Amino acid sequence: MLGNIVIEVLTNLFQGVVFLGFIFFFFKPDKVNAKDIIAYAGTVFVIFSALNFFTFYNNFAVIESSAVYIIILELYSILFLKGNIASRIIVPVFTYLINTVISYVFAYLVSYLSGVSYYNLATKSSVYRLLCIIFINLATLLVYLIILKFRSTDLRLVKKSDIVAFVLIPILSMVVVYSTLEVITITDFRSDILPYLFLICSSMIVITVIVWHMMTRISRQHQIKTKLLLSKQREQLYENSILSANQQVEHISNIKHDMNNQLLCISELIKNKEYDSAIEYCSNSKKNLESVYTPVSTQNPLLNAVLNVEQDKAVREGINFKINIEDNMLSLPNNMDIVSIVGNLCDNAIEYLKGCQRERRVMGIEISRHNNYYIIVCKNKIEKSVLKSNPNFVTSKDNKYHGRGISIIRETVEKYDGELRYYEDEGFLLATVVLKVKGNTE
């Protein structure tokens, strides 16, 4: 009797550690701190206590115990782990679903081969039950390790319908699986209906796996398209940067040549005491100098490139573009992400202002750092509330690449556990990006 109790207790502890450990490592934390260890140990203890309660005091509450187990896993995943919210919701369900399927398959096979009824196998101590417990837990651990080993897809679902389907279908599969278990219990484990119920469960699991695979494939294709678009943007940035630099050099050379002639003329006018004409020449010279913007110069060449290209675009469209750089973002692990964020923020503002009256073409960008966070604020003047008239920033452009800017910004921000927020203030639309600076982000 004592031996059976010890086995049940150790099994419950093993399952708590393994189930929670799989979820923890699935989301690949950058580093483990004391808070992570306390949260993990505390949740394992809660799971362990719940399992012991249902094992020794309410052994037939299959659905209730499963619901409590999943709720505990969900709360841990959502409150203490980081990553895509859809993944954090579905992984605990999928984790428990894997164990349920393995348990059901092994128990059914052992029952079929040994002649011991499913009921006795599930509720009474025996050698066959001990073998079931050992093989089920080892098989579950093996499946978890395989999933962790080959997990390489960073799931990114764009459409809300994709996210709903990705979350809802596995949950429905769980409902079907546990409904069949309830039917088995109600029918007193009748062997003649077990194959049909097993077929129903297997079909639902296959459907879930197919949907999971399809969603993962859609996510992978979306990432490939995004990477191709980013490559195209970076190629255009390089090309525009070179063209802009050449045009600026040529413009400065022309102005320098012009200034030499004008200075000679001004000198002669002053000698001849024609002061009004000299003042007029000085005024014209000032206008020529103002037409050449001052290039951005920081210690970050890539930040210089993207801002100078965007500044050149703004000047050509008659936009008053103010730039305030308090930090050059050299600590950003992947500097190419500057192109994705700063470039797209500025492009969106310029695209909007091109359709505004000249006197309203005003925009600005500020980059600063507060502790371990970069803060990027891009703002542009608006003629009416954009968040009310077009909250989803839907574009009417035919260019298939146009309108993807916000999506690219959001995906890049997610890599840094950051935030993108839009709001309006005093006639301006402001886009604020907060990035957490940490280890290398690929």
Side-chain angles (χ1 to χ4, degrees):
M1 182 65 180
L2 180 61
N4 293 330
I5 293 175
V6 172
I7 291 173
E8 296 293 343
V9 169
L10 290 177
T11 301
N12 292 338
L13 179 61
F14 177 83
Q15 288 184 344
V17 171
V18 171
F19 282 26
L20 208 63
F22 170 73
I23 297 173
F24 179 79
F25 287 108
F26 186 89
F27 291 99
K28 296 180 179 178
D30 294 318
K31 58 181 180 179
V32 180
N33 52 38
K35 180 182 176 181
D36 297 324
I37 295 173
I38 293 171
Y40 178 81
T43 309
V44 167
F45 177 77
V46 173
I47 292 174
F48 177 64
S49 301
L51 285 177
N52 284 332
F53 172 78
F54 285 107
T55 299
F56 297 111
Y57 298 103
N58 201 355
N59 196 31
F60 296 98
V62 178
I63 295 178
E64 291 85 347
S65 62
S66 301
V68 170
Y69 207 164
I70 292 173
I71 289 172
I72 295 172
L73 295 177
E74 288 285 357
L75 289 174
Y76 173 77
S77 179
I78 293 172
L79 296 177
F80 298 108
L81 298 178
K82 296 179 180 179
N84 184 284
I85 186 63
S87 297
R88 282 189 287 154
I89 292 173
I90 197 59
V91 167
V93 177
F94 194 72
T95 300
Y96 201 67
L97 181 62
I98 290 172
N99 178 258
T100 300
V101 172
I102 293 173
S103 301
Y104 187 78
V105 170
F106 267 95
Y108 177 76
L109 289 175
V110 171
S111 175
Y112 178 80
L113 294 173
S114 66
V116 178
S117 69
Y118 191 94
Y119 174 82
N120 290 334
L121 203 60
T123 58
K124 295 183 178 180
S125 299
S126 66
V127 175
Y128 293 113
R129 173 173 169 75
L130 178 61
L131 289 175
C132 262
I133 291 174
I134 294 173
F135 282 112
I136 287 170
N137 285 289
L138 289 178
T140 302
L141 177 62
L142 179 62
V143 171
Y144 288 164
L145 291 175
I146 292 173
I147 293 174
L148 290 176
K149 182 176 178 59
F150 291 100
R151 179 188 177 273
S152 59
T153 301
D154 184 14
L155 188 65
R156 297 185 186 275
L157 302 176
V158 180
K159 296 181 180 179
K160 291 182 179 179
S161 58
D162 294 340
I163 297 174
V164 171
F166 187 77
V167 172
L168 191 59
I169 291 178
I171 292 176
L172 291 176
S173 298
M174 289 287 293
V175 172
V176 172
V177 169
Y178 284 109
S179 296
T180 57
L181 291 176
E182 189 67 17
V183 170
I184 291 173
T185 305
I186 293 172
T187 56
D188 198 23
F189 299 88
R190 284 175 50 188
S191 59
D192 57 327
I193 65 171
L194 279 178
Y196 300 104
L197 296 176
F198 177 74
L199 181 61
I200 293 172
C201 290
S202 302
S203 300
M204 286 303 303
I205 300 305
V206 169
I207 292 172
T208 302
V209 171
I210 292 174
V211 171
W212 184 286
H213 174 72
M214 289 175 62
M215 292 296 180
T216 305
R217 188 171 180 180
I218 291 171
S219 173
R220 190 181 297 115
Q221 290 175 348
H222 170 71
Q223 291 180 57
I224 292 172
K225 289 180 180 178
T226 301
K227 288 179 180 178
L228 289 174
L229 180 54
L230 286 174
S231 298
K232 183 179 179 67
Q233 285 185 331
R234 288 161 185 167
E235 181 183 344
Q236 289 176 344
L237 171 67
Y238 179 72
E239 182 180 348
N240 291 338
S241 181
I242 293 175
L243 292 174
S244 176
N246 288 337
Q247 290 173 358
Q248 194 70 0
V249 169
E250 185 178 348
H251 197 180
I252 291 172
S253 298
N254 292 336
I255 289 177
K256 182 181 178 181
H257 182 268
D258 228 17
M259 285 293 296
N260 286 330
N261 294 331
Q262 289 186 19
L263 286 173
L264 290 173
C265 290
I266 291 169
S267 178
E268 288 298 319
L269 289 170
I270 292 173
K271 286 179 182 179
N272 296 330
K273 297 183 179 182
E274 297 180 26
Y275 300 119
D276 291 337
S277 298
I279 291 172
E280 185 180 349
Y281 262 98
C282 288
S283 178
N284 291 334
S285 299
K286 182 181 178 183
K287 289 180 181 179
N288 286 334
L289 288 174
E290 287 176 348
S291 68
V292 182
Y293 63 82
T294 303
V296 176
S297 179
T298 70
Q299 294 179 346
N300 191 332
L302 197 56
L303 181 60
N304 296 342
V306 67
L307 283 176
N308 284 323
V309 167
E310 298 302 329
Q311 188 174 219
D312 184 62
K313 291 180 186 177
V315 169
R316 283 189 270 114
E317 296 295 338
I319 298 172
N320 182 5
F321 188 9
K322 298 178 181 178
I323 300 174
N324 182 20
I325 308 298
E326 297 180 11
D327 192 283
N328 53 36
M329 300 183 74
L330 276 175
S331 298
L332 202 68
N334 186 355
N335 257 339
M336 290 306 295
D337 289 331
I338 294 174
V339 178
S340 306
I341 298 173
V342 175
N344 281 296
L345 285 175
C346 292
D347 281 343
N348 292 340
I350 292 171
E351 191 65 35
Y352 174 84
L353 292 173
K354 283 165 62 176
C356 298
Q357 297 177 358
R358 286 269 173 179
E359 62 271 14
R360 300 189 68 84
R361 295 185 183 182
V362 179
M363 66 176 289
I365 188 166
E366 298 178 5
I367 300 176
S368 59
R369 179 168 179 171
H370 181 69
N371 295 329
N372 289 328
Y373 292 90
Y374 282 124
I375 301 172
I376 306 170
V377 180
C378 183
K379 64 179 182 178
N380 60 272
K381 210 165 187 60
I382 53 177
E383 296 180 330
K384 60 180 181 179
S385 175
V386 175
L387 297 179
K388 289 182 180 178
S389 60
N390 187 17
N392 296 321
F393 299 99
V394 177
T395 177
S396 58
K397 292 282 184 180
D398 294 329
N399 186 348
K400 65 180 179 179
Y401 295 115
H402 187 82
R404 288 279 293 118
I406 295 176
S407 176
I408 291 172
I409 296 170
R410 290 191 189 281
E411 290 183 13
T412 308
V413 167
E414 283 182 6
K415 292 165 57 177
Y416 296 92
D417 295 327
E419 180 185 11
L420 170 64
R421 189 166 69 93
Y422 285 91
Y423 61 98
E424 294 173 353
D425 183 42
E426 297 182 352
F428 280 87
L429 174 67
L430 293 93
T432 302
V433 171
V434 179
L435 304 176
K436 184 177 181 181
V437 183
K438 48 186 181 180
N440 290 335
T441 304
E442 298 179 356

